Amino acid sequence: MTQELWSAVDQYFAELLTPRDAALDAALAANREAGLPAIDVSPPQGKLLYLLARIQGARDILEIGTLGGYSTIWLARALTPGGRVITLEADPRHAETARANITRAGLEAVVDVRVGPAQETLPKLAAEGCGPFDVIFIDADKASTPDYFTWALKLSRRTSIIIVDNVVRDGAVIEGANSDPGVRAMRRFFEMVSAEPRVTATAIQTVGSKGYDGFGIALVIADG
Ligand code: SAH
Ligand code: DHB
Ligand code: MG
């Protein structure tokens, strides 16, 4: 009762709840064509990001880790009129693929893809006075998640939500002796969350077409 069933159930939900969508399908096809890794959020996960952003009435969204823009398209479609998504991507080839996918989805006017390591782009965004963001989705190099969470807090205000992907990784998150930098980073992230009075948070384990993983979700409850 594992991967095969999880994928079948994801497909069942996807068929009923995330009907075939030309722009999203084309984005995944273009990513494959360009040789990008197939590590986009799944359709039900993309829909979750969309729902959270819509519930939030988001006007300003920050994404760290664009890949081919699949999650970006979900987030951008949830924007309130006049809103925009800024999405950060280190790899110029990924960013180029994402821009084409976002344009095909008709969202180029509301999405700003910034190329470069997020560690360098985030201070620039702060210096430009960008933010506070209503929704921040952290999904880039896993080892930097604690740093990105620190930046997310700086670029937040009361009522912002911060969503972090890949926090479970097949359960490795509970392994205190695991030396994998990604696992160590997620444990550090949860320690930070637990000690941070400005947020209240949860973590949700997920199974599906992307295996066994999960999201961290934090609500900012005080101004920075
Ligand atoms: N959010 C995407 C998936 C992102 S995959 C989706 O669900 O569709 C992670 C992405 O983070 C990759 O494209 C990778 O190139 C990018 N990345 C890795 N290190 C980075 C860094 N330091 N700064 C910005 N992006 C980075
Ligand atoms: C990987 C990265 C992701 O963001 C993800 O959702 C799944 C896998 C990876 O680097 O393997
Ligand atoms: Mg991810």
mmCIF file with all atom_site columns, all heavy atoms in Angstrom, residues 2-7 10 38 40 42 45 165-166 168-171 204-215:
data_model
loop_
_atom_site.group_PDB
_atom_site.id
_atom_site.type_symbol
_atom_site.label_atom_id
_atom_site.label_alt_id
_atom_site.label_comp_id
_atom_site.label_asym_id
_atom_site.label_entity_id
_atom_site.label_seq_id
_atom_site.pdbx_PDB_ins_code
_atom_site.Cartn_x
_atom_site.Cartn_y
_atom_site.Cartn_z
_atom_site.occupancy
_atom_site.B_iso_or_equiv
_atom_site.pdbx_formal_charge
_atom_site.auth_seq_id
_atom_site.auth_comp_id
_atom_site.auth_asym_id
_atom_site.auth_atom_id
_atom_site.pdbx_PDB_model_num
ATOM 1   N N   . THR A 1 2   ? 1.652  1.405  -1.104  1.00 0.00 ? 2   THR A N   1
ATOM 2   C CA  . THR A 1 2   ? 2.542  2.570  -1.088  1.00 0.00 ? 2   THR A CA  1
ATOM 3   C C   . THR A 1 2   ? 2.465  3.361  -2.389  1.00 0.00 ? 2   THR A C   1
ATOM 4   O O   . THR A 1 2   ? 1.393  3.812  -2.769  1.00 0.00 ? 2   THR A O   1
ATOM 5   C CB  . THR A 1 2   ? 3.999  2.171  -0.754  1.00 0.00 ? 2   THR A CB  1
ATOM 6   O OG1 . THR A 1 2   ? 4.399  1.157  -1.669  1.00 0.00 ? 2   THR A OG1 1
ATOM 7   C CG2 . THR A 1 2   ? 4.135  1.674  0.662   1.00 0.00 ? 2   THR A CG2 1
ATOM 8   N N   . GLN A 1 3   ? 3.602  3.559  -3.023  1.00 0.00 ? 3   GLN A N   1
ATOM 9   C CA  . GLN A 1 3   ? 3.681  4.535  -4.119  1.00 0.00 ? 3   GLN A CA  1
ATOM 10  C C   . GLN A 1 3   ? 2.604  4.352  -5.197  1.00 0.00 ? 3   GLN A C   1
ATOM 11  O O   . GLN A 1 3   ? 2.003  5.333  -5.632  1.00 0.00 ? 3   GLN A O   1
ATOM 12  C CB  . GLN A 1 3   ? 5.087  4.504  -4.745  1.00 0.00 ? 3   GLN A CB  1
ATOM 13  C CG  . GLN A 1 3   ? 5.325  5.613  -5.737  1.00 0.00 ? 3   GLN A CG  1
ATOM 14  C CD  . GLN A 1 3   ? 5.065  6.993  -5.137  1.00 0.00 ? 3   GLN A CD  1
ATOM 15  O OE1 . GLN A 1 3   ? 5.718  7.394  -4.190  1.00 0.00 ? 3   GLN A OE1 1
ATOM 16  N NE2 . GLN A 1 3   ? 4.082  7.719  -5.679  1.00 0.00 ? 3   GLN A NE2 1
ATOM 17  N N   . GLU A 1 4   ? 2.377  3.112  -5.591  1.00 0.00 ? 4   GLU A N   1
ATOM 18  C CA  . GLU A 1 4   ? 1.436  2.879  -6.688  1.00 0.00 ? 4   GLU A CA  1
ATOM 19  C C   . GLU A 1 4   ? 0.041  3.383  -6.312  1.00 0.00 ? 4   GLU A C   1
ATOM 20  O O   . GLU A 1 4   ? -0.635 4.050  -7.103  1.00 0.00 ? 4   GLU A O   1
ATOM 21  C CB  . GLU A 1 4   ? 1.394  1.380  -6.994  1.00 0.00 ? 4   GLU A CB  1
ATOM 22  C CG  . GLU A 1 4   ? 0.876  1.054  -8.380  1.00 0.00 ? 4   GLU A CG  1
ATOM 23  C CD  . GLU A 1 4   ? 0.831  -0.458 -8.615  1.00 0.00 ? 4   GLU A CD  1
ATOM 24  O OE1 . GLU A 1 4   ? 1.639  -1.184 -7.996  1.00 0.00 ? 4   GLU A OE1 1
ATOM 25  O OE2 . GLU A 1 4   ? -0.032 -0.896 -9.386  1.00 0.00 ? 4   GLU A OE2 1
ATOM 26  N N   . LEU A 1 5   ? -0.372 3.068  -5.103  1.00 0.00 ? 5   LEU A N   1
ATOM 27  C CA  . LEU A 1 5   ? -1.693 3.498  -4.642  1.00 0.00 ? 5   LEU A CA  1
ATOM 28  C C   . LEU A 1 5   ? -1.740 5.014  -4.440  1.00 0.00 ? 5   LEU A C   1
ATOM 29  O O   . LEU A 1 5   ? -2.714 5.672  -4.824  1.00 0.00 ? 5   LEU A O   1
ATOM 30  C CB  . LEU A 1 5   ? -2.050 2.761  -3.344  1.00 0.00 ? 5   LEU A CB  1
ATOM 31  C CG  . LEU A 1 5   ? -3.437 3.064  -2.773  1.00 0.00 ? 5   LEU A CG  1
ATOM 32  C CD1 . LEU A 1 5   ? -4.547 2.710  -3.762  1.00 0.00 ? 5   LEU A CD1 1
ATOM 33  C CD2 . LEU A 1 5   ? -3.645 2.306  -1.462  1.00 0.00 ? 5   LEU A CD2 1
ATOM 34  N N   . TRP A 1 6   ? -0.686 5.576  -3.846  1.00 0.00 ? 6   TRP A N   1
ATOM 35  C CA  . TRP A 1 6   ? -0.663 7.035  -3.631  1.00 0.00 ? 6   TRP A CA  1
ATOM 36  C C   . TRP A 1 6   ? -0.808 7.765  -4.963  1.00 0.00 ? 6   TRP A C   1
ATOM 37  O O   . TRP A 1 6   ? -1.528 8.767  -5.067  1.00 0.00 ? 6   TRP A O   1
ATOM 38  C CB  . TRP A 1 6   ? 0.656  7.478  -2.972  1.00 0.00 ? 6   TRP A CB  1
ATOM 39  C CG  . TRP A 1 6   ? 0.941  6.875  -1.645  1.00 0.00 ? 6   TRP A CG  1
ATOM 40  C CD1 . TRP A 1 6   ? 0.050  6.268  -0.798  1.00 0.00 ? 6   TRP A CD1 1
ATOM 41  C CD2 . TRP A 1 6   ? 2.214  6.812  -1.000  1.00 0.00 ? 6   TRP A CD2 1
ATOM 42  N NE1 . TRP A 1 6   ? 0.701  5.851  0.339   1.00 0.00 ? 6   TRP A NE1 1
ATOM 43  C CE2 . TRP A 1 6   ? 2.016  6.166  0.246   1.00 0.00 ? 6   TRP A CE2 1
ATOM 44  C CE3 . TRP A 1 6   ? 3.496  7.253  -1.329  1.00 0.00 ? 6   TRP A CE3 1
ATOM 45  C CZ2 . TRP A 1 6   ? 3.070  5.950  1.141   1.00 0.00 ? 6   TRP A CZ2 1
ATOM 46  C CZ3 . TRP A 1 6   ? 4.536  7.037  -0.441  1.00 0.00 ? 6   TRP A CZ3 1
ATOM 47  C CH2 . TRP A 1 6   ? 4.319  6.388  0.780   1.00 0.00 ? 6   TRP A CH2 1
ATOM 48  N N   . SER A 1 7   ? -0.100 7.276  -5.982  1.00 0.00 ? 7   SER A N   1
ATOM 49  C CA  . SER A 1 7   ? -0.168 7.920  -7.305  1.00 0.00 ? 7   SER A CA  1
ATOM 50  C C   . SER A 1 7   ? -1.559 7.766  -7.908  1.00 0.00 ? 7   SER A C   1
ATOM 51  O O   . SER A 1 7   ? -2.083 8.703  -8.523  1.00 0.00 ? 7   SER A O   1
ATOM 52  C CB  . SER A 1 7   ? 0.879  7.318  -8.244  1.00 0.00 ? 7   SER A CB  1
ATOM 53  O OG  . SER A 1 7   ? 2.166  7.645  -7.797  1.00 0.00 ? 7   SER A OG  1
ATOM 54  N N   . ASP A 1 10  ? -3.809 10.197 -6.183  1.00 0.00 ? 10  ASP A N   1
ATOM 55  C CA  . ASP A 1 10  ? -3.509 11.549 -6.676  1.00 0.00 ? 10  ASP A CA  1
ATOM 56  C C   . ASP A 1 10  ? -4.160 11.759 -8.032  1.00 0.00 ? 10  ASP A C   1
ATOM 57  O O   . ASP A 1 10  ? -4.729 12.828 -8.303  1.00 0.00 ? 10  ASP A O   1
ATOM 58  C CB  . ASP A 1 10  ? -1.993 11.755 -6.805  1.00 0.00 ? 10  ASP A CB  1
ATOM 59  C CG  . ASP A 1 10  ? -1.473 12.830 -5.860  1.00 0.00 ? 10  ASP A CG  1
ATOM 60  O OD1 . ASP A 1 10  ? -2.258 13.335 -5.039  1.00 0.00 ? 10  ASP A OD1 1
ATOM 61  O OD2 . ASP A 1 10  ? -0.276 13.159 -5.936  1.00 0.00 ? 10  ASP A OD2 1
ATOM 62  N N   . ALA A 1 38  ? 11.831 16.595 -12.858 1.00 0.00 ? 38  ALA A N   1
ATOM 63  C CA  . ALA A 1 38  ? 10.371 16.578 -12.642 1.00 0.00 ? 38  ALA A CA  1
ATOM 64  C C   . ALA A 1 38  ? 10.075 16.655 -11.142 1.00 0.00 ? 38  ALA A C   1
ATOM 65  O O   . ALA A 1 38  ? 9.544  15.720 -10.544 1.00 0.00 ? 38  ALA A O   1
ATOM 66  C CB  . ALA A 1 38  ? 9.759  15.334 -13.261 1.00 0.00 ? 38  ALA A CB  1
ATOM 67  N N   . ASP A 1 40  ? 8.478  19.454 -9.780  1.00 0.00 ? 40  ASP A N   1
ATOM 68  C CA  . ASP A 1 40  ? 7.410  20.436 -9.557  1.00 0.00 ? 40  ASP A CA  1
ATOM 69  C C   . ASP A 1 40  ? 6.459  19.892 -8.479  1.00 0.00 ? 40  ASP A C   1
ATOM 70  O O   . ASP A 1 40  ? 6.341  18.677 -8.308  1.00 0.00 ? 40  ASP A O   1
ATOM 71  C CB  . ASP A 1 40  ? 6.573  20.641 -10.830 1.00 0.00 ? 40  ASP A CB  1
ATOM 72  C CG  . ASP A 1 40  ? 7.320  20.277 -12.095 1.00 0.00 ? 40  ASP A CG  1
ATOM 73  O OD1 . ASP A 1 40  ? 7.596  19.076 -12.325 1.00 0.00 ? 40  ASP A OD1 1
ATOM 74  O OD2 . ASP A 1 40  ? 7.644  21.193 -12.835 1.00 0.00 ? 40  ASP A OD2 1
ATOM 75  N N   . SER A 1 42  ? 2.951  18.577 -7.162  1.00 0.00 ? 42  SER A N   1
ATOM 76  C CA  . SER A 1 42  ? 1.955  17.772 -7.885  1.00 0.00 ? 42  SER A CA  1
ATOM 77  C C   . SER A 1 42  ? 0.716  18.637 -8.154  1.00 0.00 ? 42  SER A C   1
ATOM 78  O O   . SER A 1 42  ? 0.557  19.696 -7.532  1.00 0.00 ? 42  SER A O   1
ATOM 79  C CB  . SER A 1 42  ? 1.566  16.565 -7.027  1.00 0.00 ? 42  SER A CB  1
ATOM 80  O OG  . SER A 1 42  ? 0.833  17.007 -5.900  1.00 0.00 ? 42  SER A OG  1
ATOM 81  N N   . GLN A 1 45  ? -1.108 19.436 -4.988  1.00 0.00 ? 45  GLN A N   1
ATOM 82  C CA  . GLN A 1 45  ? -0.300 20.363 -4.176  1.00 0.00 ? 45  GLN A CA  1
ATOM 83  C C   . GLN A 1 45  ? -0.346 21.773 -4.769  1.00 0.00 ? 45  GLN A C   1
ATOM 84  O O   . GLN A 1 45  ? -0.427 22.763 -4.030  1.00 0.00 ? 45  GLN A O   1
ATOM 85  C CB  . GLN A 1 45  ? 1.149  19.878 -4.083  1.00 0.00 ? 45  GLN A CB  1
ATOM 86  C CG  . GLN A 1 45  ? 1.312  18.616 -3.251  1.00 0.00 ? 45  GLN A CG  1
ATOM 87  C CD  . GLN A 1 45  ? 2.724  18.056 -3.303  1.00 0.00 ? 45  GLN A CD  1
ATOM 88  O OE1 . GLN A 1 45  ? 3.528  18.431 -4.168  1.00 0.00 ? 45  GLN A OE1 1
ATOM 89  N NE2 . GLN A 1 45  ? 3.028  17.149 -2.401  1.00 0.00 ? 45  GLN A NE2 1
ATOM 90  N N   . ASP A 1 165 ? 8.229  23.688 1.267   1.00 0.00 ? 165 ASP A N   1
ATOM 91  C CA  . ASP A 1 165 ? 8.063  22.357 0.665   1.00 0.00 ? 165 ASP A CA  1
ATOM 92  C C   . ASP A 1 165 ? 9.157  21.412 1.156   1.00 0.00 ? 165 ASP A C   1
ATOM 93  O O   . ASP A 1 165 ? 10.209 21.845 1.627   1.00 0.00 ? 165 ASP A O   1
ATOM 94  C CB  . ASP A 1 165 ? 8.121  22.462 -0.867  1.00 0.00 ? 165 ASP A CB  1
ATOM 95  C CG  . ASP A 1 165 ? 7.606  21.196 -1.564  1.00 0.00 ? 165 ASP A CG  1
ATOM 96  O OD1 . ASP A 1 165 ? 6.863  20.414 -0.927  1.00 0.00 ? 165 ASP A OD1 1
ATOM 97  O OD2 . ASP A 1 165 ? 7.929  20.990 -2.752  1.00 0.00 ? 165 ASP A OD2 1
ATOM 98  N N   . ASN A 1 166 ? 8.853  20.136 1.057   1.00 0.00 ? 166 ASN A N   1
ATOM 99  C CA  . ASN A 1 166 ? 9.848  19.057 1.253   1.00 0.00 ? 166 ASN A CA  1
ATOM 100 C C   . ASN A 1 166 ? 10.385 18.989 2.673   1.00 0.00 ? 166 ASN A C   1
ATOM 101 O O   . ASN A 1 166 ? 11.582 18.788 2.894   1.00 0.00 ? 166 ASN A O   1
ATOM 102 C CB  . ASN A 1 166 ? 11.016 19.218 0.256   1.00 0.00 ? 166 ASN A CB  1
ATOM 103 C CG  . ASN A 1 166 ? 10.528 19.388 -1.166  1.00 0.00 ? 166 ASN A CG  1
ATOM 104 O OD1 . ASN A 1 166 ? 10.735 20.435 -1.779  1.00 0.00 ? 166 ASN A OD1 1
ATOM 105 N ND2 . ASN A 1 166 ? 9.830  18.389 -1.687  1.00 0.00 ? 166 ASN A ND2 1
ATOM 106 N N   . VAL A 1 168 ? 9.519  16.721 4.968   1.00 0.00 ? 168 VAL A N   1
ATOM 107 C CA  . VAL A 1 168 ? 9.447  15.388 5.591   1.00 0.00 ? 168 VAL A CA  1
ATOM 108 C C   . VAL A 1 168 ? 10.468 14.413 4.999   1.00 0.00 ? 168 VAL A C   1
ATOM 109 O O   . VAL A 1 168 ? 11.148 13.692 5.726   1.00 0.00 ? 168 VAL A O   1
ATOM 110 C CB  . VAL A 1 168 ? 8.014  14.807 5.492   1.00 0.00 ? 168 VAL A CB  1
ATOM 111 C CG1 . VAL A 1 168 ? 7.975  13.365 6.010   1.00 0.00 ? 168 VAL A CG1 1
ATOM 112 C CG2 . VAL A 1 168 ? 7.036  15.670 6.291   1.00 0.00 ? 168 VAL A CG2 1
ATOM 113 N N   . ARG A 1 169 ? 10.552 14.435 3.631   1.00 0.00 ? 169 ARG A N   1
ATOM 114 C CA  . ARG A 1 169 ? 11.564 13.636 2.952   1.00 0.00 ? 169 ARG A CA  1
ATOM 115 C C   . ARG A 1 169 ? 11.606 12.181 3.436   1.00 0.00 ? 169 ARG A C   1
ATOM 116 O O   . ARG A 1 169 ? 12.570 11.735 4.042   1.00 0.00 ? 169 ARG A O   1
ATOM 117 C CB  . ARG A 1 169 ? 12.940 14.294 3.091   1.00 0.00 ? 169 ARG A CB  1
ATOM 118 C CG  . ARG A 1 169 ? 13.114 15.474 2.152   1.00 0.00 ? 169 ARG A CG  1
ATOM 119 C CD  . ARG A 1 169 ? 12.992 14.974 0.731   1.00 0.00 ? 169 ARG A CD  1
ATOM 120 N NE  . ARG A 1 169 ? 12.956 15.977 -0.289  1.00 0.00 ? 169 ARG A NE  1
ATOM 121 C CZ  . ARG A 1 169 ? 14.033 16.488 -0.892  1.00 0.00 ? 169 ARG A CZ  1
ATOM 122 N NH1 . ARG A 1 169 ? 15.215 16.149 -0.496  1.00 0.00 ? 169 ARG A NH1 1
ATOM 123 N NH2 . ARG A 1 169 ? 13.887 17.347 -1.858  1.00 0.00 ? 169 ARG A NH2 1
ATOM 124 N N   . ASP A 1 170 ? 10.516 11.462 3.193   1.00 0.00 ? 170 ASP A N   1
ATOM 125 C CA  . ASP A 1 170 ? 10.443 10.037 3.554   1.00 0.00 ? 170 ASP A CA  1
ATOM 126 C C   . ASP A 1 170 ? 10.636 9.802  5.049   1.00 0.00 ? 170 ASP A C   1
ATOM 127 O O   . ASP A 1 170 ? 11.047 8.713  5.448   1.00 0.00 ? 170 ASP A O   1
ATOM 128 C CB  . ASP A 1 170 ? 11.489 9.220  2.772   1.00 0.00 ? 170 ASP A CB  1
ATOM 129 C CG  . ASP A 1 170 ? 11.094 9.042  1.315   1.00 0.00 ? 170 ASP A CG  1
ATOM 130 O OD1 . ASP A 1 170 ? 9.959  8.599  1.058   1.00 0.00 ? 170 ASP A OD1 1
ATOM 131 O OD2 . ASP A 1 170 ? 11.920 9.363  0.437   1.00 0.00 ? 170 ASP A OD2 1
ATOM 132 N N   . GLY A 1 171 ? 10.344 10.806 5.851   1.00 0.00 ? 171 GLY A N   1
ATOM 133 C CA  . GLY A 1 171 ? 10.442 10.642 7.303   1.00 0.00 ? 171 GLY A CA  1
ATOM 134 C C   . GLY A 1 171 ? 11.811 10.966 7.872   1.00 0.00 ? 171 GLY A C   1
ATOM 135 O O   . GLY A 1 171 ? 11.999 10.947 9.093   1.00 0.00 ? 171 GLY A O   1
ATOM 136 N N   . ILE A 1 204 ? 2.362  19.349 7.708   1.00 0.00 ? 204 ILE A N   1
ATOM 137 C CA  . ILE A 1 204 ? 1.422  18.364 7.188   1.00 0.00 ? 204 ILE A CA  1
ATOM 138 C C   . ILE A 1 204 ? 2.188  17.365 6.336   1.00 0.00 ? 204 ILE A C   1
ATOM 139 O O   . ILE A 1 204 ? 2.869  17.733 5.380   1.00 0.00 ? 204 ILE A O   1
ATOM 140 C CB  . ILE A 1 204 ? 0.329  19.087 6.340   1.00 0.00 ? 204 ILE A CB  1
ATOM 141 C CG1 . ILE A 1 204 ? -0.642 19.826 7.262   1.00 0.00 ? 204 ILE A CG1 1
ATOM 142 C CG2 . ILE A 1 204 ? -0.438 18.099 5.474   1.00 0.00 ? 204 ILE A CG2 1
ATOM 143 C CD1 . ILE A 1 204 ? -1.509 18.933 8.136   1.00 0.00 ? 204 ILE A CD1 1
ATOM 144 N N   . GLN A 1 205 ? 2.108  16.093 6.717   1.00 0.00 ? 205 GLN A N   1
ATOM 145 C CA  . GLN A 1 205 ? 2.730  15.036 5.924   1.00 0.00 ? 205 GLN A CA  1
ATOM 146 C C   . GLN A 1 205 ? 1.849  14.758 4.716   1.00 0.00 ? 205 GLN A C   1
ATOM 147 O O   . GLN A 1 205 ? 0.632  14.750 4.817   1.00 0.00 ? 205 GLN A O   1
ATOM 148 C CB  . GLN A 1 205 ? 2.861  13.764 6.758   1.00 0.00 ? 205 GLN A CB  1
ATOM 149 C CG  . GLN A 1 205 ? 3.616  13.955 8.057   1.00 0.00 ? 205 GLN A CG  1
ATOM 150 C CD  . GLN A 1 205 ? 3.736  12.663 8.841   1.00 0.00 ? 205 GLN A CD  1
ATOM 151 O OE1 . GLN A 1 205 ? 4.350  11.701 8.388   1.00 0.00 ? 205 GLN A OE1 1
ATOM 152 N NE2 . GLN A 1 205 ? 3.138  12.635 10.011  1.00 0.00 ? 205 GLN A NE2 1
ATOM 153 N N   . THR A 1 206 ? 2.489  14.525 3.574   1.00 0.00 ? 206 THR A N   1
ATOM 154 C CA  . THR A 1 206 ? 1.727  14.231 2.363   1.00 0.00 ? 206 THR A CA  1
ATOM 155 C C   . THR A 1 206 ? 2.255  12.951 1.704   1.00 0.00 ? 206 THR A C   1
ATOM 156 O O   . THR A 1 206 ? 3.448  12.664 1.764   1.00 0.00 ? 206 THR A O   1
ATOM 157 C CB  . THR A 1 206 ? 1.846  15.381 1.335   1.00 0.00 ? 206 THR A CB  1
ATOM 158 O OG1 . THR A 1 206 ? 3.223  15.607 1.025   1.00 0.00 ? 206 THR A OG1 1
ATOM 159 C CG2 . THR A 1 206 ? 1.233  16.666 1.854   1.00 0.00 ? 206 THR A CG2 1
ATOM 160 N N   . VAL A 1 207 ? 1.322  12.196 1.091   1.00 0.00 ? 207 VAL A N   1
ATOM 161 C CA  . VAL A 1 207 ? 1.725  11.138 0.157   1.00 0.00 ? 207 VAL A CA  1
ATOM 162 C C   . VAL A 1 207 ? 1.024  11.430 -1.159  1.00 0.00 ? 207 VAL A C   1
ATOM 163 O O   . VAL A 1 207 ? 0.016  12.140 -1.204  1.00 0.00 ? 207 VAL A O   1
ATOM 164 C CB  . VAL A 1 207 ? 1.351  9.732  0.654   1.00 0.00 ? 207 VAL A CB  1
ATOM 165 C CG1 . VAL A 1 207 ? 2.118  9.372  1.910   1.00 0.00 ? 207 VAL A CG1 1
ATOM 166 C CG2 . VAL A 1 207 ? -0.152 9.597  0.859   1.00 0.00 ? 207 VAL A CG2 1
ATOM 167 N N   . GLY A 1 208 ? 1.567  10.890 -2.247  1.00 0.00 ? 208 GLY A N   1
ATOM 168 C CA  . GLY A 1 208 ? 0.984  11.145 -3.560  1.00 0.00 ? 208 GLY A CA  1
ATOM 169 C C   . GLY A 1 208 ? 2.006  10.810 -4.625  1.00 0.00 ? 208 GLY A C   1
ATOM 170 O O   . GLY A 1 208 ? 2.941  10.054 -4.371  1.00 0.00 ? 208 GLY A O   1
ATOM 171 N N   . SER A 1 209 ? 1.807  11.431 -5.804  1.00 0.00 ? 209 SER A N   1
ATOM 172 C CA  . SER A 1 209 ? 2.698  11.103 -6.923  1.00 0.00 ? 209 SER A CA  1
ATOM 173 C C   . SER A 1 209 ? 4.142  11.503 -6.627  1.00 0.00 ? 209 SER A C   1
ATOM 174 O O   . SER A 1 209 ? 5.057  11.020 -7.275  1.00 0.00 ? 209 SER A O   1
ATOM 175 C CB  . SER A 1 209 ? 2.198  11.796 -8.193  1.00 0.00 ? 209 SER A CB  1
ATOM 176 O OG  . SER A 1 209 ? 2.109  13.186 -7.977  1.00 0.00 ? 209 SER A OG  1
ATOM 177 N N   . LYS A 1 210 ? 4.365  12.375 -5.652  1.00 0.00 ? 210 LYS A N   1
ATOM 178 C CA  . LYS A 1 210 ? 5.735  12.766 -5.299  1.00 0.00 ? 210 LYS A CA  1
ATOM 179 C C   . LYS A 1 210 ? 6.269  11.994 -4.099  1.00 0.00 ? 210 LYS A C   1
ATOM 180 O O   . LYS A 1 210 ? 7.247  12.402 -3.473  1.00 0.00 ? 210 LYS A O   1
ATOM 181 C CB  . LYS A 1 210 ? 5.809  14.261 -5.014  1.00 0.00 ? 210 LYS A CB  1
ATOM 182 C CG  . LYS A 1 210 ? 5.614  15.101 -6.268  1.00 0.00 ? 210 LYS A CG  1
ATOM 183 C CD  . LYS A 1 210 ? 5.989  16.529 -6.047  1.00 0.00 ? 210 LYS A CD  1
ATOM 184 C CE  . LYS A 1 210 ? 7.500  16.698 -5.889  1.00 0.00 ? 210 LYS A CE  1
ATOM 185 N NZ  . LYS A 1 210 ? 7.822  18.095 -5.534  1.00 0.00 ? 210 LYS A NZ  1
ATOM 186 N N   . GLY A 1 211 ? 5.629  10.843 -3.785  1.00 0.00 ? 211 GLY A N   1
ATOM 187 C CA  . GLY A 1 211 ? 6.128  10.026 -2.675  1.00 0.00 ? 211 GLY A CA  1
ATOM 188 C C   . GLY A 1 211 ? 5.642  10.551 -1.338  1.00 0.00 ? 211 GLY A C   1
ATOM 189 O O   . GLY A 1 211 ? 4.551  11.129 -1.232  1.00 0.00 ? 211 GLY A O   1
ATOM 190 N N   . TYR A 1 212 ? 6.459  10.359 -0.320  1.00 0.00 ? 212 TYR A N   1
ATOM 191 C CA  . TYR A 1 212 ? 6.121  10.722 1.058   1.00 0.00 ? 212 TYR A CA  1
ATOM 192 C C   . TYR A 1 212 ? 6.929  11.959 1.420   1.00 0.00 ? 212 TYR A C   1
ATOM 193 O O   . TYR A 1 212 ? 8.154  11.906 1.474   1.00 0.00 ? 212 TYR A O   1
ATOM 194 C CB  . TYR A 1 212 ? 6.435  9.544  1.978   1.00 0.00 ? 212 TYR A CB  1
ATOM 195 C CG  . TYR A 1 212 ? 6.361  9.826  3.458   1.00 0.00 ? 212 TYR A CG  1
ATOM 196 C CD1 . TYR A 1 212 ? 5.386  10.654 4.004   1.00 0.00 ? 212 TYR A CD1 1
ATOM 197 C CD2 . TYR A 1 212 ? 7.270  9.241  4.337   1.00 0.00 ? 212 TYR A CD2 1
ATOM 198 C CE1 . TYR A 1 212 ? 5.332  10.901 5.362   1.00 0.00 ? 212 TYR A CE1 1
ATOM 199 C CE2 . TYR A 1 212 ? 7.226  9.462  5.702   1.00 0.00 ? 212 TYR A CE2 1
ATOM 200 C CZ  . TYR A 1 212 ? 6.260  10.295 6.214   1.00 0.00 ? 212 TYR A CZ  1
ATOM 201 O OH  . TYR A 1 212 ? 6.213  10.536 7.551   1.00 0.00 ? 212 TYR A OH  1
ATOM 202 N N   . ASP A 1 213 ? 6.226  13.070 1.644   1.00 0.00 ? 213 ASP A N   1
ATOM 203 C CA  . ASP A 1 213 ? 6.924  14.318 1.969   1.00 0.00 ? 213 ASP A CA  1
ATOM 204 C C   . ASP A 1 213 ? 5.981  15.204 2.780   1.00 0.00 ? 213 ASP A C   1
ATOM 205 O O   . ASP A 1 213 ? 5.075  14.663 3.456   1.00 0.00 ? 213 ASP A O   1
ATOM 206 C CB  . ASP A 1 213 ? 7.415  15.003 0.686   1.00 0.00 ? 213 ASP A CB  1
ATOM 207 C CG  . ASP A 1 213 ? 8.733  15.732 0.891   1.00 0.00 ? 213 ASP A CG  1
ATOM 208 O OD1 . ASP A 1 213 ? 8.935  16.289 1.971   1.00 0.00 ? 213 ASP A OD1 1
ATOM 209 O OD2 . ASP A 1 213 ? 9.548  15.767 -0.041  1.00 0.00 ? 213 ASP A OD2 1
ATOM 210 N N   . GLY A 1 214 ? 6.119  16.497 2.718   1.00 0.00 ? 214 GLY A N   1
ATOM 211 C CA  . GLY A 1 214 ? 5.213  17.343 3.483   1.00 0.00 ? 214 GLY A CA  1
ATOM 212 C C   . GLY A 1 214 ? 5.511  18.819 3.352   1.00 0.00 ? 214 GLY A C   1
ATOM 213 O O   . GLY A 1 214 ? 6.527  19.216 2.779   1.00 0.00 ? 214 GLY A O   1
ATOM 214 N N   . PHE A 1 215 ? 4.586  19.601 3.888   1.00 0.00 ? 215 PHE A N   1
ATOM 215 C CA  . PHE A 1 215 ? 4.688  21.064 3.887   1.00 0.00 ? 215 PHE A CA  1
ATOM 216 C C   . PHE A 1 215 ? 4.764  21.582 5.323   1.00 0.00 ? 215 PHE A C   1
ATOM 217 O O   . PHE A 1 215 ? 4.034  21.102 6.196   1.00 0.00 ? 215 PHE A O   1
ATOM 218 C CB  . PHE A 1 215 ? 3.430  21.696 3.274   1.00 0.00 ? 215 PHE A CB  1
ATOM 219 C CG  . PHE A 1 215 ? 3.290  21.506 1.791   1.00 0.00 ? 215 PHE A CG  1
ATOM 220 C CD1 . PHE A 1 215 ? 2.334  20.637 1.287   1.00 0.00 ? 215 PHE A CD1 1
ATOM 221 C CD2 . PHE A 1 215 ? 4.098  22.204 0.914   1.00 0.00 ? 215 PHE A CD2 1
ATOM 222 C CE1 . PHE A 1 215 ? 2.189  20.470 -0.085  1.00 0.00 ? 215 PHE A CE1 1
ATOM 223 C CE2 . PHE A 1 215 ? 3.954  22.039 -0.464  1.00 0.00 ? 215 PHE A CE2 1
ATOM 224 C CZ  . PHE A 1 215 ? 3.002  21.169 -0.958  1.00 0.00 ? 215 PHE A CZ  1
#
